[in-house]
């Protein structure tokens, strides 16, 4: 297990916020890595000293291999739950379709 403050993993796309966070992370001694689009390099898998900043879609793919928990669950989490847990049928639809609906969704 690596010792030290750990690392900050970022998605492959650039953003102003990611640039600011990477600077702050480096000043605190963290290693900063930009993850490739195809996944998590072996050297970062399952470490307990990692942090992730990025969107929920990419985060849903890399959180498990990184060994981190997302603060915001991925977009499909609620509709993936069995009806026994939600007590209803849940489905994701585009906003335009949701606005056309006049009542509760069918089974």
């Amino acid at each position: 297990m690596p010792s030290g403050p750990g690392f900050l993993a970022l998605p492959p796309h650039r953003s102003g916020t990611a640039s600011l966070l990477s600077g702050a992370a480096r000043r605190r001694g963290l290693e900063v890595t930009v993850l490739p689009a195809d996944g998590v390099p072996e050297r970062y898998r399952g470490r307990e000293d990692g942090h992730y900043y990025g969107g929920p879609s990419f985060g849903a793919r890399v959180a498990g291999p990184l060994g981190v928990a997302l603060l915001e669950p991925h977009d499909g989490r609620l509709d993936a739950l069995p009806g026994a847990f939600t007590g209803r049928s849940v489905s994701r639809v585009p906003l335009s379709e949701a606005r056309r609906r006049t009542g509760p969704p069918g089974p």
Side-chain angles (χ1 to χ4, degrees):
M1 182 66 53
S3 62
F7 68 96
L8 172 65
L10 301 168
H13 68 276
R14 303 238 187 256
S15 75
T17 303
S19 296
L20 292 170
L21 286 175
S22 64
R26 284 187 181 101
R27 286 190 297 277
R28 287 169 175 76
L30 274 76
E31 175 186 354
V32 176
T33 185
V34 176
L35 298 173
D38 61 352
V40 178
E42 190 61 38
R43 69 177 287 200
Y44 298 109
R45 290 179 172 268
R47 289 175 46 177
E48 295 179 2
D49 61 347
H51 308 275
Y52 169 76
Y53 172 79
S57 180
F58 188 73
R61 290 197 333 254
V62 300
L66 283 173
V68 300
L70 300 178
L71 296 177
E72 178 180 319
H74 62 87
D75 290 340
R77 179 148 190 253
L78 186 59
D79 52 316
L81 289 173
F85 292 119
T86 62
R88 63 190 71 194
S89 172
V90 178
S91 62
R92 265 184 306 158
V93 297
L95 183 57
S96 59
E97 182 180 333
R99 287 183 172 150
R100 286 192 305 267
R101 292 187 178 183
T102 59

